[in-house]
């Protein structure tokens, strides 16, 4: 099918994923405003509460060594996520473009930092997060079939690959379908969260408080261990900025973006602290560290004989987080392609579905690559180091634009001390692990980030003819194969 035929397909006004033959007015192929307040809250809660709360407790505890500091870490990560989200609320209502940090870095510092963010996110940050979540899903789904031992690596990776493929297809087919899936899994994961919290409260009422006696005894907090504990805690909270990736698809973003943050993140923080309290009411710290799957061990002790409930709902939880991550990350790739910072085809919209299908498919393929050599803890550290570099720069951009872009409308304006705090903590998170326990992985990550400049100058900045000749045939072929057109393209009768 050639490009002219693609452009002549009919668009259905008011529907983001259907085709109509009734309207005679031209319509542009663009992302549609489908996400309201409930959808926004579900996106935050559903994306944040995922595999992290079921994977990270062991790592947080092992880094600080005691129950008291562990609970403080979880609460502190919630406060930091709230502060970061407030900064992003100002950025998101000031610059109402999808793509998260990308448009903010573009406005504050210019194209090179924005390009390096899109490059790093496309190939490291987002797909590694997607892979981590799906690996967590696979571990919990397979755990009941291998009681008392670790599931085979091959089985875990095959399950993770199947999850990535399914979620990618769902989001490529329909914005509404992805949003409905997100709402369903957000509701399902709150069921398991409530079950764990109530079970913990019952155990505490029965006097099971041994783990909280002398809760700071044996703590081993250092600059490095504290930062690594924060890495794992913050990974569980990651997703607090996800609505900024779909600002263009939010209904009334000036209202719904900040409200979703103000409601969603405190719900998550309370849930995380109480889940950890529940874990420690049922298990000793030593037992928690020895558990192959913390929530499964919890379920075996509390919900027998209905122990299957925990892995089932943990699977729902992780799938919901993976779906939210895929839904939003695809928009980053789409925006970067639209700005000319990635292959142009990645910014194209499906004519039939009005979704950024090429961006989503590319993102799913890269995520699958990450599950091949994957070790979850290594991936988490690698991911956290990279992502907090750009979180810090985005919030620094907020401070810079207070002085350089005073003309921009700011429906939300937070106290300037908040972004300063977030920037300082970001610097600590990036520098502390390097100083306390230097590792080649951090250097490799920095080198990879800056290696994007090798592609930036010939393909983006100078737009050299030989570079365009390489990419143009690929774009044309994929455009015909996938039935996609550029954003803002008119779909006429």
């Amino acid at each position: 099918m050639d490009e002219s035929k693609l452009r002549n397909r009919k668009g259905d006004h008011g529907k983001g994923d259907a085709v109509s033959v009734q309207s005679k007015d031209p319509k542009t192929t663009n992302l549609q405003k489908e996400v309201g307040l409930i959808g926004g809250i579900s996106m935050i809660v559903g994306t944040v509460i995922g595999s992290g709360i079921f994977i990270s407790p062991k790592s947080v505890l092992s880094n600080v060594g005691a129950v008291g500091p562990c609970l403080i870490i979880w609460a502190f990560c919630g406060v930091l996520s709230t502060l970061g989200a407030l900064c992003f609320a100002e950025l998101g209502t000031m610059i109402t473009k999808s793509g998260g940090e990308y448009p903010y870095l573009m406005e504050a510092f210019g194209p090179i930092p924005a390009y390096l963010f899109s490059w790093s996110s496309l190939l490291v940050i987002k797909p590694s997060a997607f892979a981590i979540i799906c690996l967590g899903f696979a571990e919990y789904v397979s755990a009941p079939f291998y009681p008392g031992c670790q599931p085979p690596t091959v089985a875990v990776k095959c399950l993770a690959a199947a999850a990535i493929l399914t979620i990618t297809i769902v989001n490529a087919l329909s914005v509404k379908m992805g949003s409905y899936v997100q709402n369903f899994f957000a509701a399902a994961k709150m069921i398991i969260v409530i079950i764990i919290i109530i079970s913990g409260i019952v155990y505490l009422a029965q006097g099971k408080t041994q783990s909280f006696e002398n809760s700071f005894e044996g703590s081993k907090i250092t600059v490095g261990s504290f930062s690594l504990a924060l890495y794992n805690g913050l990974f569980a909270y990651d997703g607090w900025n996800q609505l900024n990736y779909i600002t263009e698809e939010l209904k009334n973003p000036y209202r719904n973006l900040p409200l979703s943050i103000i409601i969603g993140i405190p719900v998550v923080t309370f849930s995380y602290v109480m889940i950890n309290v529940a874990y420690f009411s049922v298990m000793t710290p030593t037992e928690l560290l020895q558990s192959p799957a913390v929530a499964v061990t919890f379920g075996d002790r509390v919900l027998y004989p209905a122990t299957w409930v925990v892995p089932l709902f943990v699977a729902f939880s992780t799938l919901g987080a993976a779906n939210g991550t895929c839904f939003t990350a695809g928009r980053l790739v789409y925006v970067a392609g639209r700005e000319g910072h990635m292959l142009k085809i990645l910014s194209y919209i499906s004519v039939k579905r009005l979704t950024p299908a090429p961006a989503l498919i590319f993102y799913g393929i890269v995520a699958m690559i990450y599950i091949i050599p994957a070790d979850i803890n290594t991936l988490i550290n690698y991911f956290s180091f990279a992502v907090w570099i750009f979180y810090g720069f985005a919030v620094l951009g907020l401070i810079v634009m207070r002085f350089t872009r005073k003309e921009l409308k700011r429906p939300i304006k937070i106290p300037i001390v908040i972004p300063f705090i977030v920037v300082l903590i970001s610097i600590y998170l990036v520098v502390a692990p390097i100083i306390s326990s230097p590792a080649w992985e951090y250097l490799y990550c920095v080198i990879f980030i800056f290696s994007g400049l090798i592609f930036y100058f010939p393909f983006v900045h100078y737009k050299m003819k030989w570079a365009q000749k390489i990419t143009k045939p690929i774009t044309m072929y994929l455009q015909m194969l996938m039935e996609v057109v550029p954003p803002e393209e008119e779909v006429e009768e």
Side-chain angles (χ1 to χ4, degrees):
M1 181 177 293
D2 61 29
E3 186 174 341
S4 62
K5 290 182 181 179
L6 290 177
R7 293 180 183 179
N8 287 330
R9 290 188 177 272
K10 311 299 186 289
D12 181 8
H13 288 272
K15 292 186 179 180
D17 56 353
V19 180
S20 170
V21 294
Q22 298 174 352
S23 174
K24 296 183 178 180
D25 298 324
K27 179 185 178 182
T28 61
T29 52
N30 210 345
L31 300 182
Q32 306 298 297
K33 291 185 179 293
E34 301 280 4
V35 184
L37 177 60
I38 300 300
I41 295 170
S42 296
M43 183 65 67
I44 290 178
V45 175
T47 304
V48 174
I49 300 180
S51 62
I53 189 58
F54 308 113
I55 295 173
S56 296
K58 286 173 60 176
S59 298
V60 174
L61 179 61
S62 66
N63 278 295
V64 296
V67 173
C70 181
L71 295 177
I72 290 173
I73 288 286
W74 283 102
F76 178 78
C77 289
V79 172
L80 178 57
S81 298
T82 303
L83 295 179
L86 289 173
C87 295
F88 272 61
E90 178 174 330
L91 286 166
T93 53
M94 178 175 63
I95 303 169
T96 55
K97 293 181 180 179
S98 295
E101 294 91 323
Y102 180 87
Y104 314 147
L105 292 170
M106 177 74 81
E107 292 288 340
F109 303 114
I112 291 181
Y115 170 83
L116 291 178
F117 169 73
S118 62
W119 162 264
S120 303
S121 293
L122 179 64
L123 297 175
V124 178
I125 296 173
K126 297 301 178 183
S128 67
F130 196 14
I132 292 166
I133 295 168
C134 290
L135 284 167
F137 157 80
E139 286 190 354
Y140 269 91
V141 167
S142 56
F145 298 98
Y146 301 92
C149 63
Q150 290 288 345
T153 302
V154 173
V156 171
K157 291 183 178 180
C158 287
L159 279 171
I164 291 172
L165 179 62
T166 303
I167 291 166
T168 301
I169 290 172
V170 166
N171 282 276
L173 287 177
S174 169
V175 172
K176 284 186 178 179
M177 189 186 301
S179 184
Y180 290 153
V181 167
Q182 190 65 29
N183 292 344
F184 169 78
F185 283 131
K189 73 179 59 185
M190 291 312 295
I191 293 174
I192 189 61
V193 166
I194 291 169
I195 289 173
I196 293 175
I197 291 173
I198 291 176
S199 300
I201 292 172
V202 170
Y203 265 65
L204 289 174
Q206 293 173 350
K208 305 293 179 64
T209 59
Q210 294 88 342
S211 295
F212 304 100
E213 298 170 2
N214 302 316
S215 59
F216 287 85
E217 185 177 340
S219 60
K220 51 177 185 179
I221 298 176
T222 64
V223 171
S225 67
F226 184 72
S227 62
L228 290 175
L230 284 178
Y231 270 5
N232 285 274
L234 289 169
F235 170 74
Y237 279 95
D238 197 68
W240 49 262
N241 64 330
Q242 292 300 291
L243 282 186
N244 292 70
Y245 285 86
I246 59 167
T247 304
E248 294 175 31
E249 294 168 84
L250 276 177
K251 300 173 183 176
N252 192 4
Y254 296 130
R255 171 183 176 269
N256 290 335
L257 178 59
L259 273 180
S260 299
I261 289 167
I262 291 168
I263 296 170
I265 297 179
V267 168
V268 172
T269 303
F270 173 79
S271 300
Y272 276 8
V273 173
M274 292 305 298
I275 287 172
N276 277 275
V277 169
Y279 286 158
F280 288 121
S281 69
V282 174
M283 292 174 275
T284 66
T286 301
E287 289 171 337
L288 189 145
L289 289 172
Q290 292 175 348
S291 170
V294 176
V296 170
T297 303
F298 180 93
D300 289 341
R301 297 191 179 188
V302 174
L303 300 175
Y304 184 83
T307 55
W308 55 268
V309 169
V310 172
L312 175 65
F313 280 91
V314 169
F316 287 160
S317 177
T318 50
L319 282 176
N323 182 75
T325 300
C326 180
F327 187 91
T328 55
R331 274 61 184 173
L332 167 64
V333 182
Y334 155 78
V335 172
R338 185 178 65 185
E339 297 291 334
H341 283 186
M342 289 293 160
L343 283 173
K344 200 68 178 176
I345 188 68
L346 296 179
S347 71
Y348 283 24
I349 303 295
S350 169
V351 175
K352 293 181 179 179
R353 305 294 179 179
L354 294 182
T355 62
L360 289 165
I361 293 169
F362 182 83
Y363 172 67
I365 291 171
V366 176
M368 282 195 182
I369 294 171
Y370 272 92
I371 68 174
I372 297 172
D375 169 72
I376 288 183
N377 288 330
T378 302
L379 273 178
I380 287 175
N381 291 340
Y382 189 56
F383 162 83
S384 299
F385 176 78
V387 78
W388 276 95
I389 292 175
F390 291 106
Y391 284 164
F393 268 109
V395 177
L396 179 62
L398 172 60
I399 298 172
V400 169
M401 285 189 284
R402 284 283 184 93
F403 302 97
T404 61
R405 302 297 302 275
K406 294 181 180 180
E407 78 283 0
L408 291 175
K409 181 182 177 182
R410 291 172 171 83
I412 297 174
K413 191 172 183 179
I414 61 173
I416 194 70
V417 67
I418 293 178
F420 271 112
I421 291 172
V422 175
V423 169
L424 290 175
I425 295 175
S426 301
I427 293 171
Y428 168 78
L429 286 169
V430 171
V431 173
I434 298 175
I435 294 176
S436 62
S437 54
W440 286 108
E441 287 78 6
Y442 301 125
L443 178 61
Y444 295 152
C445 186
V446 173
I447 291 174
F448 181 84
I449 289 172
F450 284 99
S451 69
L453 295 175
I454 296 172
F455 298 92
Y456 174 78
F457 287 104
F459 287 93
V460 179
H461 185 70
Y462 292 110
K463 299 185 185 299
M464 295 179 177
K465 290 183 178 180
W466 63 266
Q468 302 302 313
K469 288 180 179 178
I470 293 174
T471 58
K472 188 174 180 179
I474 298 173
T475 299
M476 292 179 64
Y477 174 75
L478 291 176
Q479 183 178 358
M480 290 187 292
L481 180 68
M482 301 175 70
E483 297 190 3
V484 292
V485 294
E488 306 293 348
E489 184 74 60
E490 283 194 353
V491 183
E492 301 172 350
E493 292 277 3

